[in-house]
Amino acid sequence: MAVVSWKEICLLTGLVVGCYWNSLFCGFVFDDVSAILDNKDLRPTTPLKNLFLNDFWGTPMSEERSHKSYRPLTVLTFRLNYLFSELSSSSYHLLNVVLHAVVCVFFLHFCRLLLDRNTSLVAALLFAVHPIHTEAVTGVVGRAELLSSIFLLAAFLAYTKSKGADHSIVWTPIISTVFLVAVATLCKEQGITVIGICCIYEVFVAQGFTLPMLIDTLLQVLRGKDGFPYAVLQTLLKLIVLIISTLLLVIVRVQVIQSQLPVFTRFDNPAAVSSTPTRQLTFNYLLPVNAWLLLNPSELCCDWTMGTIPLVESLLDPRNLATVVFYAMLSLLAYHSLWYGHSSAKIVMMALSLIVLPFIPASNLFFPVGFVVAERVLYVPSMGFCVLVAHGFKLLSQRGGLKKISWLLMGVLLTTHAVKTFNRNWDWESEYTLFTSALKVNRNNAKLWNNVGHALENQNSYERALRYFLQATRVQPDDIGAHMNVGRTYKNLNRSREAEEAYLIAKSLMPQIIPGKKYATRVAPNHLNVYINLANLIRANDSRLEEADQLYRQAISMRPDFKQAYISRQVSVHADRISKMSCKRYSKNVFLFLSHLRGELLLKMNKPSEAKDAYLRALELDHTNADLWPLSFGFVVVPICEAKFRPEANRRFLTYVKEEPDDANGYFNLGMLAMDANENEEAEHWMREAIRLQPGFRSALFNLALLYSQSQRELDALPVLEELLRYHPEHVKGLILKGDILMNHRKDTRGAKACFERILNMDQSNVQAKHNLCVVYFEERELQRAERCLVESLAMAPHEEYIRRHLAIVRNKMAAMSAAGQPIAPAEGGSASDKQQEQQQQQQQDKTKEEEGQGVASEAEEGARKEKNLRKSSPTEGVSGQGHGQSKKLDAGQPDKRTKSKSTKEIKDIEKKRAAALKRLEEIERILSSD
């Protein structure tokens, strides 16, 4: 391989800087907003492990709305940018330019394997300036392409060194290749395709085979005339290693996305939801479209979705001719490269492999992707295209008088491409410039009209934005988002009647519910906001409050996890009740409200007794209006007040569920009150009703399982826990309870171990899970492992006496077995006294409950929460049970355990702010009292 000189590196770097220096003045636009501005994984406060649990956009991979794009190393570079410059866009663009220069140098190394010095430099220069790369380089999210390309080329270059001087296999480069492929794949999924490029290089370039030679060798082996030549066997061995590593990477990738493909709507990729043959004809037509963009990048567009490329619905569509011509040319090139063994054929073969293989994941041919055409995915395929162009240039320049003309044409091509790239960068300066430039190329994409409207809307230019939104509805009449944009803009212009009409049109376009088919998979989640927007608009009219409430309910019925619908509905309900208060009761309700605020502050300050007095004062002020906070009364007041208030709470909740029969929180709180009163049948009824109304209701499922456990119906609790963990796989207390039941009642130590290990994988500092895992080891008679585990548990919680007792029991057991000459490895079981002690201790299990409710100012989850923590469970002095015998309930005033992760200074600051807020509340009450 010819060496790349410093002059060539400086030339490439200078050309890249010359073409892209103006990108440093561009901001965050288009997909950058979601990947950078809205992505919490970039913030230092987010744990680094989240990068490996979430997708490229910061969405957990387990969620249905996840894009399933797993690129943690790319997000890590974003995070480093944020660490040095936070959200200064220049640093992000600068790093992209540097990475593009690095790719160009690596690509020159690659070309030197196939082409002569001048021709390879021409290919690298053409790659450096090609306008198709502006989206990958100037768009910050294109960094995934840049990083993946660096490691893809590095992996290939490493593999080329796997053949020794004596034609033996050198394994170190192969191992390096596999590692670099894995890294490339963690930058972007297409990185794995370099394995295919390596296989093609090995067979057709390194070993010099042609297709006729391979066929002839195979026929001879089948006829029994000869065995495989040694060179072929070596090649097979290397290919097997590469293929197996590829399969392992694919398996890991499938596990990461949980064997689920992302959900795309017909607006993202219309052909993906079309029927045969429209889908096949359109996807195949997209191949010559991409090829034309490489050949003639004069009309570039940031977004090719929706109606940009009309569907090819018939075999008679003239566009099919382009598809036929494309496949004919591809077949001729493939035939030339496979059938002949000269150097030109090898160059074409490697160029085709670079064009075809990295493009396959984005081709839509094997699985749908979330776009029709995306210029950034042509970044790697353009390498193969540049090799072909440079090779053609060389052949042309060798023909006598055409040498000067060919150099002139290449100079013109490089100059025009460089100028186009430089000018194209300015389009990415802002969202307005980007989308208006796209409209010059394509006026049939409603998304572009909408995006220009959004850009104008952000500038408070509502009249101009409205024109673009209305044009979007004309271009794509069934675009729900466009009609929602029209409605929102009319509302901003105080034209309520037109706004309502636009929202109603959007609502009429929503897909209808099909029995047995999951609704969420057929609609974009943000489209459900049409119900919220319309309800918020019409609830301004007091006579239409019930109509607004029906819209909130409809949104919730379509998507039970639609949190904003719950919040908006609660705000609407309580606002309605407050609006009905008479003026003469205004001051009383102000005091009532202040009392509730004081109670909440005192709870957070760990002063439950004083909080109770504040809530009781609210009740004394006005029992009737306390109904404005029925859920708060249940999940906050009742647990810290005397039992005499529980009948009052029960009455309030019974009234509440009559008024709000579809609110699961009311039934849940009735169930909690019944559990406190040991009315198990009634508690089970209410919990079941809450779960029926809200499948996956975390606290209802857990407390129902706990109720069964307390009632000696542990086996009935297991299916409830399975349902809880299906919806909430990281529910620690559910895993603890399940582990207890599996070991104590099912004698399933393996299942129990899995529960506790799962908790420790999420939180290694969980003493309860760690201790219970030690107990599992003891039950399995792995005494040495149990001893080590308990020592580690004691180090985590040195003041816990029960761990010391259990460690002493294990050591005594080990000593007794050693004295008796018994092996300390797994044995036949414990002594009778141990068993009896275990059974006695197991009966001391302390029951705890988790409570949850929802008030007016609810959090983003199901509502304001109050949890009683299951700290230890199924205790036993003899260790064979589970956990710690002295279980404790956290009362209402106890701070959340998560505050332990805060620094002492932060905690003190929070306490100071709470004390100051409490003091201001008291001053307000004094002022109002004096008035």
Side-chain angles (χ1 to χ4, degrees):
M1 180 175 66
V3 177
V4 175
S5 68
W6 279 105
K7 289 183 180 180
E8 292 170 326
I9 293 175
C10 291
L11 175 61
L12 283 172
T13 304
L15 192 57
V16 168
V17 172
C19 288
Y20 287 100
W21 68 265
N22 57 338
S23 69
L24 303 184
F25 301 101
C26 298
F28 295 116
V29 297
F30 204 24
D31 289 339
D32 297 348
V33 175
S34 299
I36 307 298
L37 300 182
D38 299 337
N39 192 348
K40 293 182 180 179
D41 286 349
L42 272 61
R43 298 348 183 225
T45 54
T46 302
L48 272 175
K49 67 176 183 179
N50 282 24
L51 274 62
F52 297 88
L53 299 176
N54 299 341
D55 66 14
F56 185 58
W57 314 97
T59 305
M61 296 292 289
S62 58
E63 292 191 12
E64 178 192 358
R65 61 191 178 96
S66 170
H67 198 270
K68 308 299 182 185
S69 48
Y70 188 65
R71 305 164 192 172
L73 296 186
T74 303
V75 181
L76 182 61
T77 66
F78 292 153
R79 184 162 174 145
L80 292 174
N81 270 123
Y82 188 91
L83 182 64
F84 288 106
S85 63
E86 294 191 350
L87 295 177
S88 173
S89 60
S90 298
S91 71
Y92 295 80
H93 290 295
L94 176 61
L95 184 53
N96 271 25
V97 174
V98 172
L99 292 174
H100 180 52
V102 173
V103 175
C104 292
V105 174
F106 271 84
F107 179 57
L108 180 57
H109 276 285
F110 171 87
C111 293
R112 287 284 154 84
L113 295 171
L114 307 171
L115 306 168
D116 60 53
R117 192 174 195 89
N118 288 336
T119 310
S120 60
L121 182 59
V122 167
L125 291 174
L126 181 58
F127 178 80
V129 302
H130 202 297
I132 201 70
H133 300 155
T134 50
E135 182 173 347
V137 180
T138 309
V140 178
V141 295
R143 187 176 299 175
E145 314 290 339
L146 304 174
L147 288 170
S148 179
S149 299
I150 290 174
F151 292 107
L152 181 149
L153 291 170
F156 177 80
L157 294 173
Y159 183 78
T160 60
K161 300 176 182 178
S162 63
K163 185 177 180 180
D166 56 350
H167 300 285
S168 61
I169 300 176
V170 184
W171 289 104
T172 301
I174 295 178
I175 295 172
S176 300
T177 298
V178 173
F179 171 75
L180 290 169
V181 171
V183 175
T185 306
L186 290 176
C187 294
K188 190 176 181 183
E189 299 78 5
Q190 70 180 24
I192 199 172
T193 59
V194 71
I195 293 289
I197 299 173
C198 291
C199 292
I200 290 175
Y201 173 83
E202 177 66 30
V203 175
F204 296 101
V205 178
Q207 301 300 331
F209 287 108
T210 62
L211 189 59
M213 292 172 61
L214 289 175
I215 295 173
D216 185 60
T217 302
L218 183 60
L219 289 176
Q220 288 184 11
V221 172
L222 292 176
R223 292 168 184 166
K225 293 182 178 181
D226 198 2
F228 282 110
Y230 181 69
V232 174
L233 291 175
Q234 279 190 315
T235 300
L236 285 174
L237 179 59
K238 293 168 76 172
L239 295 183
I240 289 172
V241 171
L242 291 177
I243 292 171
I244 290 176
S245 64
T246 303
L247 290 175
L248 290 175
L249 286 174
V250 170
I251 291 171
V252 171
R253 184 72 176 83
V254 170
Q255 291 297 318
V256 166
I257 67 173
Q258 301 181 1
S259 303
Q260 295 177 346
L261 289 175
V263 177
F264 301 116
T265 68
R266 62 187 179 89
F267 298 107
D268 298 317
N269 191 345
V273 296
S274 300
S275 58
T276 302
T278 300
R279 182 171 64 255
Q280 291 77 12
L281 291 175
T282 304
F283 284 156
N284 280 279
Y285 171 68
L286 294 179
L287 301 180
V289 170
N290 282 278
W292 181 249
L293 286 175
L294 287 174
L295 189 63
N296 179 31
S298 59
E299 295 184 344
L300 299 178
C301 181
C302 63
D303 191 289
W304 295 76
T305 56
M306 303 186 85
T308 303
I309 300 177
L311 297 175
V312 182
E313 299 178 321
S314 169
L315 290 171
L316 300 178
D317 192 312
R319 290 177 294 173
N320 289 321
L321 182 61
T323 305
V324 172
V325 171
F326 170 79
Y327 276 113
M329 294 182 63
L330 189 65
S331 300
L332 286 174
L333 290 172
Y335 172 80
H336 172 78
S337 60
L338 289 171
W339 216 257
Y340 302 101
H342 49 71
S343 61
S344 179
K346 294 177 181 179
I347 293 171
V348 173
M349 170 61 69
M350 292 307 301
L352 287 178
S353 67
L354 263 179
I355 293 173
V356 174
L357 295 180
F359 184 73
I360 286 177
S363 66
N364 281 293
L365 295 178
F366 298 99
F367 49 83
V369 294
F371 52 83
V372 179
V373 173
E375 292 162 14
R376 62 179 176 270
V377 303
L378 294 174
Y379 189 79
V380 177
S382 68
M383 295 179 187
F385 172 79
C386 292
V387 170
L388 281 180
V389 172
H391 182 54
F393 158 76
K394 175 188 175 182
L395 296 178
L396 189 64
S397 64
Q398 289 175 345
R399 295 192 174 184
L402 296 178
K403 182 175 182 179
K404 291 183 179 180
I405 296 176
S406 62
W407 276 104
L408 177 62
L409 291 175
M410 181 55 66
V412 171
L413 180 64
L414 291 174
T415 302
T416 54
H417 274 21
V419 172
K420 172 66 176 177
T421 297
F422 183 83
N423 290 332
R424 174 63 174 160
N425 289 333
W426 289 121
D427 291 340
W428 292 79
E429 184 178 11
S430 67
E431 294 211 320
Y432 179 76
T433 57
L434 179 64
F435 297 126
T436 50
S437 69
L439 283 176
K440 296 175 184 177
V441 176
N442 169 36
R443 304 181 70 84
N444 295 321
N445 186 337
K447 188 174 178 182
L448 295 176
W449 293 99
N450 280 320
N451 285 336
V452 176
H454 286 307
L456 292 169
E457 190 178 31
N458 292 335
Q459 300 171 14
N460 296 325
S461 182
Y462 297 120
E463 290 286 357
R464 292 177 63 197
L466 180 61
R467 291 198 293 270
Y468 282 91
F469 290 142
L470 288 172
Q471 181 61 25
T473 63
R474 298 186 193 104
V475 171
Q476 186 93 29
D478 60 348
D479 182 8
I480 299 171
H483 291 286
M484 291 172 63
N485 293 334
V486 171
R488 185 181 63 256
T489 309
Y490 273 133
K491 183 181 178 182
N492 289 331
L493 293 170
N494 295 319
R495 296 164 65 177
S496 299
R497 184 179 60 79
E498 292 95 330
E500 183 176 349
E501 290 175 357
Y503 284 138
L504 287 173
I505 294 174
K507 178 174 172 288
S508 68
L509 294 171
M510 293 291 287
Q512 299 300 309
I513 295 178
I514 301 175
K517 187 170 183 179
K518 195 172 183 180
Y519 187 81
T521 61
R522 298 182 297 111
V523 63
N526 60 309
H527 285 173
L528 285 173
N529 283 321
V530 66
Y531 295 95
I532 306 301
N533 296 345
L534 181 57
N536 291 342
L537 179 69
I538 66 177
R539 80 180 186 195
N541 185 341
D542 291 342
S543 64
R544 302 181 69 184
L545 291 174
E546 182 59 33
E547 186 180 347
D549 190 59
Q550 288 296 327
L551 288 167
Y552 292 130
R553 295 184 187 210
Q554 189 172 357
I556 292 170
S557 68
M558 289 179 169
R559 198 179 186 100
D561 62 348
F562 192 16
K563 300 169 187 174
Q564 187 58 43
Y566 288 101
I567 295 171
S568 298
R569 181 168 180 251
Q570 286 296 317
V571 171
S572 175
V573 169
H574 292 298
D576 176 34
R577 292 176 178 174
I578 292 174
S579 67
K580 294 178 181 177
M581 296 177 184
S582 60
C583 292
K584 65 181 181 180
R585 304 181 62 191
Y586 172 78
S587 61
K588 181 180 290 186
N589 284 290
V590 170
F591 279 110
L592 183 63
F593 178 69
L594 292 175
S595 297
H596 273 271
L597 285 181
R598 177 188 286 186
E600 291 177 11
L601 276 172
L602 289 167
L603 277 175
K604 292 176 180 177
M605 295 172 69
N606 198 18
K607 297 180 179 180
S609 179
E610 296 178 36
K612 179 191 72 174
D613 293 338
Y615 283 117
L616 291 180
R617 185 185 174 197
L619 290 176
E620 291 170 0
L621 284 169
D622 197 320
H623 283 265
T624 304
N625 285 334
D627 282 332
L628 288 171
W629 294 272
L631 299 179
S632 297
F633 183 87
F635 82 84
V636 176
V637 181
V638 172
I640 62 172
C641 293
E642 293 83 0
K644 64 182 180 181
F645 291 103
R646 299 191 188 280
E648 172 71 6
N650 197 71
R651 183 192 67 77
R652 291 173 183 273
F653 281 120
L654 287 172
T655 302
Y656 181 77
V657 296
K658 288 179 182 178
E659 296 176 358
E660 304 292 338
D662 296 326
D663 190 343
N665 287 289
Y667 299 97
F668 167 74
N669 282 282
L670 282 169
M672 294 302 300
L673 288 169
M675 285 184 70
D676 286 333
N678 294 320
E679 298 172 354
N680 292 343
E681 290 185 6
E682 188 175 352
E684 180 181 357
H685 165 73
W686 293 125
M687 291 296 184
R688 287 287 184 190
E689 189 66 17
I691 296 167
R692 181 187 68 80
L693 289 170
Q694 185 178 324
F697 194 154
R698 192 189 72 160
S699 296
L701 286 167
F702 175 74
N703 282 287
L704 179 60
L706 191 62
L707 174 67
Y708 286 146
S709 177
Q710 292 173 339
S711 307
Q712 285 74 50
R713 297 169 58 186
E714 287 83 359
L715 298 183
D716 290 339
L718 276 179
V720 180
L721 289 170
E722 291 291 346
E723 184 178 0
L724 169 68
L725 296 172
R726 180 166 62 88
Y727 283 99
H728 310 283
E730 297 183 355
H731 195 287
V732 174
K733 286 173 280 187
L735 287 167
I736 289 287
L737 185 56
K738 181 183 176 183
D740 290 346
I741 295 172
L742 287 176
M743 191 160 72
N744 293 329
H745 300 278
R746 280 278 183 88
K747 306 303 178 185
D748 180 5
T749 55
R750 179 178 298 180
K753 182 193 293 185
C755 292
F756 302 137
E757 288 177 342
R758 190 166 162 189
I759 297 171
L760 292 172
N761 286 335
M762 296 184 289
D763 179 12
Q764 296 181 355
S765 63
N766 192 303
V767 179
Q768 178 187 3
K770 182 73 173 178
H771 173 265
N772 289 358
L773 184 61
C774 305
V775 174
V776 173
Y777 293 149
F778 183 87
E779 288 289 337
E780 293 178 343
R781 299 301 181 257
E782 297 184 25
L783 299 184
Q784 291 179 337
R785 195 172 182 184
E787 182 193 24
R788 287 196 303 270
C789 180
L790 285 167
V791 169
E792 294 172 0
S793 300
L794 190 60
M796 294 165 61
H799 303 297
E800 296 288 2
E801 185 60 32
Y802 72 97
I803 300 179
R804 295 182 185 276
R805 293 200 305 272
H806 293 175
L807 179 58
I809 291 171
V810 172
R811 286 175 171 170
N812 290 339
K813 183 77 171 179
M814 293 171 66
M817 293 178 67
S818 297
Q822 298 178 5
I824 299 180
E828 289 297 318
S831 64
S833 61
D834 282 341
K835 295 292 184 181
Q836 184 178 3
Q837 188 177 20
E838 291 170 8
Q839 292 174 0
Q840 291 173 353
Q841 292 296 328
Q842 186 176 328
Q843 295 172 0
Q844 298 175 8
Q845 179 179 5
D846 193 4
K847 312 297 190 297
T848 63
K849 290 177 291 191
E850 175 183 315
E851 297 189 6
E852 186 172 304
Q854 182 168 336
V856 178
S858 60
E859 297 181 10
E861 295 293 337
E862 297 159 355
R865 299 185 177 175
K866 150 103 179 32
E867 294 188 354
K868 296 179 179 179
N869 197 10
L870 189 69
R871 295 236 341 243
K872 310 289 185 296
S873 53
S874 301
T876 162
E877 297 264 347
V879 185
S880 306
Q882 296 267 108
H884 172 31
Q886 305 301 321
S887 172
K888 297 179 181 179
K889 289 185 180 181
L890 294 181
D891 63 22
Q894 189 163 344
D896 194 325
K897 290 178 70 177
R898 288 173 295 182
T899 58
K900 293 182 179 179
S901 63
K902 297 181 183 293
S903 66
T904 304
K905 184 178 181 302
E906 289 176 321
I907 294 174
K908 288 182 178 178
D909 289 341
I910 292 171
E911 291 302 323
K912 286 181 181 178
K913 290 177 181 178
R914 288 172 178 167
L918 185 62
K919 186 175 181 180
R920 285 196 293 270
L921 282 177
E922 292 172 349
E923 291 174 357
I924 292 171
E925 286 184 336
R926 281 198 298 272
I927 292 170
L928 291 175
S929 298
S930 62
D931 290 343

